[in-house]
Amino acid sequence: MRPPADPAADRLLTAPVFVMSPVRSGSTLLRAMLNAHSALHAPHELHVRRLTVGFGTALAEKAMAELGHNRADLEHLLWDRVLHRELVRSGKRYIVDKTPANAFAYKRIAACWPDARFVFLLRHPASIAASWFEAGAGSRTPEEAAADALRYMKAVQRARTALPGPTVRYEDLTADPEKETRAICAFLDLPWEPAMLAYGRPDVVVKGLGDWKDKIRSGSVQPGRDLPQAEEVPEILRPMCETWGYLPGTAASA
């Protein structure tokens, strides 16, 4: 895993944007709002980091090595080409990918696109766990949902610590969407556009590729659920609540 040897020749994308967030944190809402901007194409979750290549034969591996490519290099070329094709088809300037699992591969994404920009989206950990449990349709217990969602939260926190970029809170996004989207646009060096507040029905609402509930389908920002009381926070989530400043008397991590 390494940066491109020649970015000008090896990468077609310019300054892609990655929303790093846990599951059930409002990333589909944010991507719909960003996609409403005339310069941003924010499609459904893309999962490009799961795309792999194989050499097939030792001779193919040797031939690629002579060209200076290892397997990771070739996969990065593939990822870049897939995202670039999608961006060109959209007719916009920048692509946005909000796949939650990207947080587990933040180092590789940053290496693949040295000019990538990152936006971090947080939500109250107990609200994330509750929503993840509800989305599981009986496939996991509340305790299992909390433990699984915590994996994503920890990955996002590691990425926040390592990478530059602004942090947005879901609660702030739903309470004052204009203020939060203006801040994101300023970070991306783009003018703010009112259409971001009335984003319309997302063009892809498919289970497994983001949130498909009625709040998202409504086409405009809806109020978030009430925050849980401190005594309602599962013990396993309390450290993350403290790190993110969601418990009384705690300060949010920079």
Side-chain angles (χ1 to χ4, degrees):
M1 184 186 71
R2 56 195 179 187
D6 184 355
D10 296 346
R11 296 293 179 267
L12 298 177
L13 279 182
T14 298
V17 180
F18 293 90
V19 175
M20 293 288 184
S21 67
V23 292
R24 313 305 299 179
S25 58
S27 61
T28 298
L29 171 63
L30 180 56
R31 84 94 173 163
M33 299 172 77
L34 295 177
N35 190 58
H37 195 286
S38 61
L40 299 173
H41 179 49
H44 58 78
E45 294 174 11
L46 297 173
H47 298 274
V48 291
R49 79 179 187 93
R50 294 298 189 183
L51 301 179
T52 62
V53 301
F55 292 112
T57 67
L59 280 176
E61 183 174 5
K62 183 177 180 180
M64 291 300 100
E66 285 298 311
L67 294 179
H69 303 310
N70 62 25
R71 180 172 176 173
D73 295 333
L74 296 174
E75 289 174 347
H76 291 172
L77 289 171
L78 172 62
W79 298 356
D80 184 74
R81 183 66 180 88
V82 170
L83 293 188
H84 182 263
R85 178 181 184 272
E86 178 63 21
L87 179 62
V88 170
R89 292 176 67 201
S90 75
K92 295 187 176 183
R93 289 172 57 192
Y94 303 110
I95 196 160
V96 179
D97 184 7
K98 69 90 174 177
T99 308
N102 281 344
F104 294 106
Y106 74 87
K107 291 181 180 179
R108 191 164 179 189
I109 289 173
C112 179
W113 293 283
D115 62 344
R117 295 172 291 176
F118 299 92
V119 175
F120 301 95
L121 176 64
L122 307 184
R123 187 183 185 184
H124 194 300
S127 297
I128 291 175
S131 182
W132 193 226
F133 168 68
E134 294 163 3
S139 64
R140 47 188 168 248
T141 66
E143 294 75 19
E144 290 169 339
D148 190 41
L150 184 58
R151 294 189 307 112
Y152 287 87
M153 299 179 216
K154 289 181 176 179
V156 170
Q157 183 59 22
R158 289 192 293 268
R160 286 182 72 211
T161 302
L163 300 172
T167 293
V168 179
R169 293 177 183 270
Y170 171 75
E171 296 83 6
D172 295 336
L173 184 66
T174 55
D176 194 344
E178 180 174 342
K179 177 183 177 183
E180 297 304 313
T181 51
R182 281 186 179 277
I184 294 173
C185 286
F187 168 68
L188 299 177
D189 197 24
L190 294 171
W192 181 78
E193 296 181 0
M196 300 176 76
L197 303 186
Y199 54 82
R201 187 181 187 277
D203 50 357
V204 177
V205 187
V206 179
K207 185 174 182 178
L209 297 180
D211 192 343
W212 63 99
K213 291 186 177 180
D214 290 341
K215 277 190 176 183
I216 299 298
R217 294 175 186 270
S218 70
S220 60
V221 182
Q222 303 295 308
R225 70 171 74 200
D226 293 336
L227 291 181
Q229 298 298 311
E231 61 272 15
E232 298 174 322
V233 176
E235 191 63 32
I236 192 176
L237 299 178
R238 294 187 73 85
M240 188 59 69
C241 287
E242 292 173 359
T243 298
W244 287 356
Y246 279 105
L247 284 180
T250 61
S253 173

